[in-house]
């Protein structure tokens, strides 16, 4: 089991990426958050409580599963790290639990979150119910339509839903709305950001809380196979499940790291969510500098993906850094490939993955070469049935 | 004073010094809203009202510091084809008559590189730059470029700003110190003037440049109370953007009426 990271400081920047591009109003809150996280991270009592909740409430450690029929199909062993078996159905609970405990230490009485697919919103609403903290979730109206079951779950859990109607009414606008709420209510509110994005210290904080995925998987893989995986594959929207599983392998140069972005209708159509794959000039979105989809003037452009959780024009700054230094590579698969993989995994393994996760699986299915793959099965796909099978309840 | 030879920083200082109001009147204009032509007309109405300085906003896709009214105006401006080049032409036109400070989000400033952006801005005759999501300490190359071109990089301070940061920001302020009156985004609010005195006094103690109060100031009464609190300038944004959007036939007339009320509230000696 993870005992938490040991490095002494928090990164503000990853090479040229990261930083704190926020209204001055938020700067003291970010400084407080960093101070408190450094204290909590060094406090065994904090970890003891978090570990207890991860075990007894969330069900960790999650299994490492050798996907037999999938392995036969691709001609190499494929292991799935089963984050879908977390309580609430995705890796998002790891971060939400850790940040909510931190919020309580800071004396915050209100928690806000953004959500795309609804998995982070559900995780945050769940933790707020557990700890008795007020919860407000911002979600784009388009995402509320296509992820209806998660909206119902959040409401049942007692969260206040704030529908966001600006722009394309998806994750980018939900995140902007959550940041504006935080600017207005910063004194009593903690913003539980859901991915390794946002101003420092969030990318490092969320990574620290998600690295339990990779720490567990690494130990499980060594126990099962007696060796490290040759390759680690995860989907990337903001990139928290990917950063969480990559972190345990960053120093093992022989382990290839692959992040799979949303190719949408195809990179060439520009209707995608793949800023790391496409490259181009870095930009600033939601408080940090990273790979960003933007026009030549610096206006942020809308992403597109069938998967609400990957429908985002940015990505975490550490991912952009890992790409630039050649430590990880990033590729995109299309909506169509992801939907196909969603169905293939259901039939081959009896596991219905989230549409986000299906992008990582689609990449594995399309990749002919390889020797031992570890895939982060970041979430389950019950929420996506209507969107994939049609008749989306509209 | 000749506007042609003075630097932007000097021109702003001269505008504050020459003001015979209790506090300078500093309206915000959303460039390109509702269209580029209309925004030039609205700016012309600001000039006609004798304002000391115009804060000219560049519409942006993701304005994190703005409330719903300015956000919506920016979205509409972009939908009507507003570009940075177009807004810079507005800056060029208005700068002939009044000091203009551009308000532009960080990604657009850093997209071409700070030096290239500032050089281009300086060529319009504008006097300064406000970047609402660039806190002091982040991207120091923007301040270097502004200093090199004589433009004022105007920083913001908030009620939440710690004493340590306030001292740093006050030292780095050029032109004026944009003092955010409330914890929140831009937008009209009721009855918040009871904290003006404290907010202004704190800002003034930190800096040698004039202190302008903004965010949430929309009524003549609030403007008067900002002046009472000792503010050297009063920034009014959302109230004017709303006036323009509510009068699509004659936005210039609508903002003139609002400015008249604000100007009366700032008359010296006070007209009580």
């Amino acid at each position: 089991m993870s005992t938490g990271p040991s490095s002494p400081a928090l990164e503000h920047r990853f090479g040229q990426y990261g930083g704190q591009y926020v209204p001055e109003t938020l700067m003291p809150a970010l400084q407080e958050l960093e101070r408190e996280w450094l204290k909590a991270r060094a406090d065994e009592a904090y970890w003891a409580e978090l570990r207890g909740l991860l075990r007894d409430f969330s069900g960790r450690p999650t299994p490492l599963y050798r996907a037999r029929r999938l392995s036969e199909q691709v001609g190499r062993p494929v292991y799935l790290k089963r984050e879908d078996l977390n309580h609430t159905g995705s890796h998002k609970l790891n971060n939400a639990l850790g940040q909510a405990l931190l919020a309580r230490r800071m004396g915050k009485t209100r928690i806000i979150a953004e959500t795309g697919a609804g998995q982070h919103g559900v995780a945050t609403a769940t933790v707020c119910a557990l700890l008795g903290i007020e919860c407000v979730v911002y979600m784009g109206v388009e995402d509320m339509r296509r992820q209806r079951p998660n909206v119902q779950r959040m409401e049942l859990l007692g969260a206040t839903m704030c529908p966001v109607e600006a722009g394309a009414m998806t994750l980018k606008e939900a995140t902007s709305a959550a940041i504006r709420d935080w600017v207005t209510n910063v004194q009593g509110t903690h913003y539980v950001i859901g991915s390794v994005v946002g101003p420092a210290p969030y990318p490092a904080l969320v990574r620290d809380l998600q690295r339990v995925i990779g720490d567990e998987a690494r130990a499980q893989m060594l126990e099962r196979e007696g060796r490290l995986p040759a390759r680690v594959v995860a989907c990337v929207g903001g990139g928290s499940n990917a950063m969480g599983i990559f972190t345990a392998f960053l120093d093992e140069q022989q382990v290839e790291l692959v992040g799979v972005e949303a190719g949408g209708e195809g990179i060439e159509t520009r209707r995608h969510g793949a800023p790391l794959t496409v490259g181009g000039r870095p930009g600033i979105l939601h408080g940090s500098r990273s790979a960003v989809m933007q026009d030549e003037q610096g206006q942020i452009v809308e992403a597109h993906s069938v998967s609400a959780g990957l429908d985002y024009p940015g990505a975490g700054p550490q991912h952009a850094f890992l790409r630039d230094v050649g430590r990880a590579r990033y590729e995109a698969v299309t909506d169509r490939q992801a939907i196909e993989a969603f169905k293939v995994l259901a039939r081959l393994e009896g596991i219905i993955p989230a549409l986000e996760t299906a992008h990582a699986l689609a990449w594995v299915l399309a990749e002919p070469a390889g020797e031992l793959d570890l895939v982060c099965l970041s979430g389950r796909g019950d929420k996506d049935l209507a969107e994939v099978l049609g008749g989306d309840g509209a | 004073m000749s506007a042609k030879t003075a630097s932007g920083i000097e021109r702003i200082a001269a505008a504050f010094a020459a003001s015979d109001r209790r506090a300078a009147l500093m309206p915000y204009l959303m460039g390109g809203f509702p269209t580029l032509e209309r925004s030039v007309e609205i700016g012309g109405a600001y000039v006609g009202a004798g304002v000391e300085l115009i804060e000219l906003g560049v519409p942006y896709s993701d304005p994190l510091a703005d409330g719903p009214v300015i956000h919506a105006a920016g979205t509409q401006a972009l939908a009507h084809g507003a570009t940075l080049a177009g807004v810079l032409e507005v800056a060029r036109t208005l700068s002939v008559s009044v000091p203009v400070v551009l308000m532009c989000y960080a990604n657009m400033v850093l997209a071409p590189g700070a030096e290239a952006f500032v050089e281009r801005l300086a060529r319009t005759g504008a006097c300064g730059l406000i970047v609402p999501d660039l806190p002091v300490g982040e991207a120091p190359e923007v301040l270097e470029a502004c200093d090199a071109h004589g433009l004022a990089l105007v920083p913001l301070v908030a009620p939440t700003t710690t004493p340590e940061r306030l001292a740093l920001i006050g030292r780095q302020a050029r032109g004026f110190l944009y003092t955010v009156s409330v914890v929140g985004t831009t937008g009209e609010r009721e009855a918040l003037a009871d904290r003006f005195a404290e907010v202004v006094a704190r800002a003034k103690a930190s800096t040698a440049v004039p202190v302008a109060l903004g965010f949430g100031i929309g009524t003549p009464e609030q403007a008067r109370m900002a002046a009472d609190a000792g503010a050297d300038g009063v920034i009014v944004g959302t109230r004017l953007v709303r006036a323009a959007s509510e009068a699509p036939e004659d936005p210039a007339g609508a903002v003139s009426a609002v400015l008249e009320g604000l100007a009366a509230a700032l008359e010296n000696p006070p007209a009580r």
Side-chain angles (χ1 to χ4, degrees):
Chain A
M1 179 155 295
S2 167
T3 54
S6 56
S7 61
L10 281 183
E11 302 97 321
H12 271 218
R13 291 202 170 258
F14 304 89
Q16 63 167 310
Y17 304 112
Q20 295 175 312
Y21 301 88
V22 294
E24 171 62 28
T25 304
L26 291 182
M27 288 300 287
L30 293 174
Q31 291 173 336
E32 179 195 16
L33 181 61
E34 177 166 357
R35 249 187 342 263
E36 292 300 319
W37 176 235
L38 285 171
K39 271 193 249 168
R41 204 169 71 159
D43 181 355
E44 187 43 44
Y46 170 85
W47 287 107
E49 184 173 14
L50 179 57
R51 275 197 303 266
L53 286 170
L54 288 172
R55 183 189 65 220
D56 303 332
F57 186 70
S58 187
R60 300 203 75 91
T62 56
L64 182 73
Y65 171 67
R66 181 171 170 139
R68 187 178 58 82
R69 298 183 64 205
L70 175 63
S71 299
E72 283 168 10
Q73 172 148 339
V74 300
R76 61 185 181 272
V78 178
Y79 279 83
L80 305 177
K81 177 59 173 167
R82 296 291 306 275
E83 291 301 300
D84 60 317
L85 294 178
N86 270 306
H87 178 44
T88 78
S90 81
H91 70 291
K92 295 293 188 186
L93 192 60
N94 305 328
N95 170 52
L97 273 171
Q99 283 204 48
L101 292 183
L102 189 60
R104 199 182 58 187
R105 278 174 75 106
M106 292 191 291
K108 305 289 185 181
T109 56
R110 177 174 177 268
I111 277 177
I112 58 173
E114 85 294 339
T115 199
Q119 295 299 89
H120 174 57
V122 167
T124 305
T126 298
V127 171
C128 286
L130 178 75
L131 299 180
I133 300 177
E134 181 189 354
C135 182
V136 175
V137 179
Y138 288 86
M139 189 170 189
V141 170
E142 164 62 10
D143 288 342
M144 293 179 74
R145 179 195 67 76
R146 57 180 166 170
Q147 307 277 232
R148 182 78 198 139
N150 275 344
V151 175
Q152 292 168 322
R153 292 165 82 194
M154 285 183 268
E155 285 172 344
L156 187 62
L157 289 160
T160 301
M161 296 301 299
C162 291
V164 178
E165 296 190 349
M169 303 185 285
T170 55
L171 179 55
K172 173 172 83 83
E173 300 301 336
T175 306
S176 294
I179 292 174
R180 289 191 192 97
D181 178 309
W182 203 32
V183 170
T184 305
N185 300 296
V186 63
Q187 281 144 327
T189 295
H190 175 63
Y191 176 25
V192 179
I193 206 163
S195 192
V196 287
V197 299
Y202 279 110
L205 163 61
V206 176
R207 176 206 59 206
D208 288 350
L209 290 169
Q210 290 292 3
R211 66 169 292 165
V212 64
I213 304 171
D215 289 342
E216 283 180 7
R218 181 192 163 102
Q220 289 166 321
M221 186 66 97
L222 285 173
E223 190 186 314
R224 295 282 287 281
E225 288 279 329
R227 58 175 173 150
L228 294 174
R231 186 158 59 204
V232 178
V233 185
C235 66
V236 177
S240 70
N241 90 85
M243 212 55 244
I245 199 163
F246 285 177
T247 297
F249 302 98
L250 283 179
D251 294 335
E252 313 284 356
Q253 296 296 328
Q254 75 276 21
V255 179
E256 189 184 3
L257 306 176
V258 180
V260 184
E261 293 190 295
E265 295 173 6
I267 296 293
E268 68 290 350
T269 68
R270 299 191 179 190
R271 284 181 53 75
H272 59 78
L276 290 162
T277 304
V278 170
R281 193 181 65 227
I284 294 163
L285 176 61
H286 295 144
S288 63
R289 182 173 167 90
S290 187
V292 171
M293 294 167 62
Q294 58 184 327
D295 69 14
E296 62 288 342
Q297 298 202 28
Q299 304 285 354
I300 308 300
V301 303
E302 301 290 353
H304 167 80
S305 172
V306 68
S307 139
L310 305 187
D311 193 351
Y312 185 68
Q318 194 171 2
H319 284 297
F321 174 74
L322 292 176
R323 178 196 61 186
D324 286 4
V325 300
R327 182 62 194 93
R329 68 185 163 115
Y330 297 85
E331 298 190 7
V333 306
T334 63
D335 287 350
R336 191 186 296 261
Q337 288 176 285
I339 289 170
E340 182 59 26
F342 178 90
K343 294 173 178 169
V344 166
L345 196 74
R347 297 286 175 90
L348 278 183
E349 297 291 347
I351 297 169
I352 300 172
L355 266 180
E356 292 75 23
T357 314
H359 285 71
L361 296 163
W363 188 90
V364 169
L365 284 165
E367 172 62 37
E371 154 192 8
L372 175 58
D373 285 354
L374 168 62
V375 183
C376 188
L377 199 83
S378 54
R380 72 175 185 228
D382 312 48
K383 67 188 179 61
D384 296 311
L385 293 182
E387 188 69 11
V388 172
L389 302 178
D392 59 11
Chain B
M1 185 206 83
S2 162
K4 288 197 171 55
T5 54
S7 74
I9 290 177
E10 289 164 343
R11 202 174 160 200
I12 292 170
F16 276 100
S19 172
D20 56 7
R21 284 187 242 276
R22 298 180 61 226
L25 182 53
M26 308 163 68
Y28 171 94
L29 172 68
M30 171 59 84
F33 173 77
T35 62
L36 215 51
E37 296 71 26
R38 285 292 200 185
S39 69
V40 173
E41 287 173 31
I42 296 166
Y46 290 6
V47 171
V51 304
E52 276 79 7
L53 184 147
I54 292 175
E55 189 190 328
L56 176 63
V58 180
Y60 183 55
S61 54
D62 298 80
L64 292 182
D66 285 308
V69 172
I70 291 183
H71 183 189
T75 302
Q76 190 180 332
L78 290 171
H80 289 171
T83 59
L84 177 63
V87 176
L88 290 179
E89 281 311 303
V90 179
R92 187 188 303 279
T93 303
L94 297 176
S95 289
V96 173
S97 313
V98 66
V100 171
V101 175
L102 196 78
M103 187 171 212
C104 186
Y105 281 87
N107 194 46
M108 295 188 71
V109 173
L110 297 178
E115 168 58 28
F117 183 95
V118 170
E119 198 268 332
R120 189 176 174 196
L121 176 61
R123 275 191 278 121
T124 69
C127 293
L129 177 64
I130 301 169
V131 188
D133 58 345
L134 192 70
V136 163
E138 200 67 72
E141 65 269 27
V142 180
L143 179 61
E144 285 166 27
C146 284
D147 280 352
H149 289 276
L151 295 193
L153 181 64
V154 175
L156 293 94
V157 293
T160 54
T161 302
T162 58
E164 297 74 31
R165 282 192 61 79
L166 185 64
L168 174 70
I169 297 167
R171 273 200 307 278
Q172 287 206 3
R174 310 281 195 270
F176 59 93
L177 182 58
Y178 194 136
T179 304
V180 177
S181 68
V182 293
V183 178
T185 54
T186 58
E188 296 162 80
R189 287 171 182 81
E190 285 177 15
L192 41 75
D194 53 327
R195 284 201 61 197
F196 282 2
E198 180 192 338
V199 168
V200 171
R202 213 169 78 102
K204 290 193 103 162
S206 76
T207 192
V209 298
V211 166
L213 199 62
F215 281 42
I217 298 178
T219 68
E221 181 58 19
Q222 287 169 323
R224 184 181 356 257
M225 292 180 83
D228 287 349
D232 302 302
V234 177
I235 300 167
V236 178
T238 298
R239 177 71 192 91
L240 290 162
V241 171
R242 183 164 66 83
S245 66
E246 287 171 355
E249 298 303 315
D250 183 20
V255 299
S256 295
V258 174
L259 285 173
E260 201 174 308
L262 292 166
L266 295 173
E267 262 175 32
N268 198 14
R272 300 256 175 193

